[in-house]
Amino acid sequence: MNVEEVLKAKMKGVCRCCRNCDGRVCAGEVPGMGGIGTGSSFRANVEALKMIKINMSAVHGAHSPHTGVELLKLSLKTPILVAPIGGMDVNLGGGLSEEEYNSAVVVGANKAGSIAMTGDGPNLLHFKAGLNATASVGTGIPVIKPRFSEEILERFKLAAESGATAVGIDIDAAGLVNMTKSGQHVGPKTEKELSEIISKSPLPVIVKGIMTTGDALKVLNAGASGIVVSNHGGRVLDYTPGTAEVLPAIARQVKGKLTIFVDGGIRSGIDILKMLALGADAVLIGRPVTRAAVEGGSDAVKELLEKLSNELRTAMILTGCEKIEDIGRQVIYQE
Ligand SMILES: Cc1cc2nc3c(=O)[nH]c(=O)nc-3n(C[C@H](O)[C@H](O)[C@H](O)COP(=O)(O)O)c2cc1C
């Protein structure tokens, strides 16, 4: 078997390991690695990024760009973080155990000078695996489903005890069937409910799954430290726009007031440059990291994050950006 066949076998056929991971082959495969329904929201993420063109420029003095960023009071070598992915049993046919997966991504991100978010799911082990990995390196961002408020706060406390840097709520999991089917409540939260949760949190809170300026402003008012502009990789609602389409308007409202993360269909350093130019402070990578983790554990995750950082650095040279903060709208080609 060649490397690709070995990877596919480890993925148990759930992920077809396409050269372009764009949601076409796996449309409708949730549980699995695909997007929900027609798969249009997953594809929209990839397509929205493809539409954007870059202004190439090499007449300047940006010789050795620096990809380091300060986020959530952390100094990171790169603005490329790991997205939370949970449920290896239900989504990946058990190709890796939840513990193995979380260890690979948290340790791999740490080795690359970055940080990983970890997931939550119907089985408490899904959440605990992220906490154990976080405790092993002393940094991580566990993201909790929009459960009853008391349950969220209990999990925030466990996250703080594990050494987490911040915590998250993936608010877009409000209708997640795999949670309700297994008897676990999830649902939307009002600004007031979020505000109460955030005021009692021992750690800064990031709200993941923001796709409108209205929600971004409510989350800002509720006291969050950050948002993730995300449609959950197209896994929760069919026919949403791509995240690159909604990011600019959201950034216009909240940039500088909270940390803006974005994810969805980001596959290269150029994609990362585009998202930063559209207003993100940092990006999260989902499925490609899962593939790396399955392929080669923490070392492969580290290599992937470093490869993307190198691609970003090259893109910065060719757009005249010495620092991450230099990447702005001037980088985007407009006729
Ligand atoms: C199999 C799978 C499981 C996921 N589990 C979670 C989760 O537990 N919590 C969460 O906030 N997001 C979860 N996500 C969404 C990712 O964090 C992220 O938003 C998305 O994968 C980004 O898109 P990309 O995979 O195209 O990079 C999951 C995504 C996949 C594919």
Side-chain angles (χ1 to χ4, degrees):
M1 280 205 276
N2 63 27
V3 180
E4 259 174 41
E5 285 165 344
V6 172
L7 177 60
K8 274 189 200 170
K10 279 194 192 169
M11 287 282 197
K12 308 277 179 194
V14 177
C15 173
R16 263 55 124 248
C17 307
C18 306
R19 190 168 292 253
N20 299 318
C21 171
D22 59 6
R24 268 192 281 180
V25 177
C26 54
E29 296 181 5
V30 181
M33 293 297 285
I36 201 161
T38 65
S40 84
S41 301
F42 180 173
R43 288 197 303 279
N45 285 339
V46 175
E47 279 156 21
L49 277 164
K50 266 197 203 155
M51 300 295 288
I52 299 162
K53 305 271 188 299
I54 303 291
N55 284 324
M56 190 173 82
S57 157
V59 185
H60 56 70
H63 290 280
S64 40
H66 179 58
T67 59
V69 283
E70 297 283 322
L71 290 176
L72 308 164
K73 302 198 177 135
L74 286 177
S75 293
L76 303 180
K77 272 194 194 163
T78 174
I80 310 168
L81 282 70
V82 171
I85 291 210
M88 292 301 113
D89 45 1
V90 283
N91 291 312
L92 213 69
L96 278 186
S97 73
E98 207 70 20
E99 292 282 341
E100 286 167 331
Y101 180 72
N102 280 278
S103 171
V105 299
V106 172
V107 173
N110 192 248
K111 286 185 194 164
S114 178
I115 188 168
M117 297 195 185
T118 57
D120 185 16
N123 185 333
L124 183 60
L125 290 177
H126 293 153
F127 179 64
K128 285 271 173 83
L131 294 191
N132 292 341
T134 295
S136 76
V137 297
T139 179
I141 306 178
V143 178
I144 291 126
K145 295 271 170 271
R147 302 164 173 280
F148 289 121
S149 299
E150 314 79 67
E151 282 177 11
I152 293 180
L153 284 166
E154 267 168 39
R155 286 176 190 232
F156 279 5
K157 192 165 161 270
L158 293 175
E161 286 164 8
S162 77
T165 303
V167 282
I169 305 172
D170 52 329
I171 197 93
D172 56 357
L176 212 61
V177 184
N178 75 338
M179 292 294 288
T180 41
K181 264 191 188 160
S182 60
Q184 312 229 356
H185 167 88
V186 283
K189 301 267 175 229
T190 63
E191 182 182 316
K192 186 161 174 282
E193 285 168 323
L194 278 177
S195 169
E196 278 166 13
I197 295 170
I198 292 168
S199 69
K200 292 181 190 153
S201 170
L203 292 170
V205 178
I206 296 163
V207 181
K208 178 169 180 283
I210 300 299
M211 288 292 286
T212 64
T213 52
D215 275 7
L217 286 168
K218 285 184 197 164
V219 166
L220 173 69
N221 290 339
S225 300
I227 54 170
V228 186
V229 176
S230 174
N231 61 11
H232 215 101
R235 292 171 65 78
V236 290
L237 183 68
D238 215 353
Y239 295 108
T240 73
T243 50
E245 290 174 87
V246 300
L247 174 61
I250 293 175
R252 272 196 293 279
Q253 296 289 330
V254 299
K255 179 94 180 176
K257 297 177 187 152
L258 37 69
T259 304
I260 305 176
F261 300 90
V262 67
D263 71 17
I266 301 169
R267 304 289 178 258
S268 66
I270 294 285
D271 287 345
I272 294 158
L273 181 93
K274 290 176 181 178
M275 287 299 202
L276 298 175
L278 295 175
D281 295 304
V283 305
L284 313 180
I285 311 291
R287 295 169 179 95
V289 167
T290 306
R291 244 157 92 162
V294 172
E295 201 174 353
S298 64
D299 285 341
V301 170
K302 170 184 178 275
E303 273 165 35
L304 173 66
L305 296 180
E306 288 178 347
K307 173 177 164 281
L308 292 171
S309 290
N310 286 334
E311 288 175 7
L312 172 62
R313 202 170 293 117
T314 304
M316 289 168 75
I317 293 177
L318 286 167
T319 50
C321 302
E322 190 85 51
K323 309 184 293 301
I324 293 298
E325 306 87 77
D326 297 340
I327 303 172
R329 290 301 285 217
Q330 84 285 0
V331 161
I332 308 279
Y333 171 73
Q334 274 152 341
E335 239 180 298

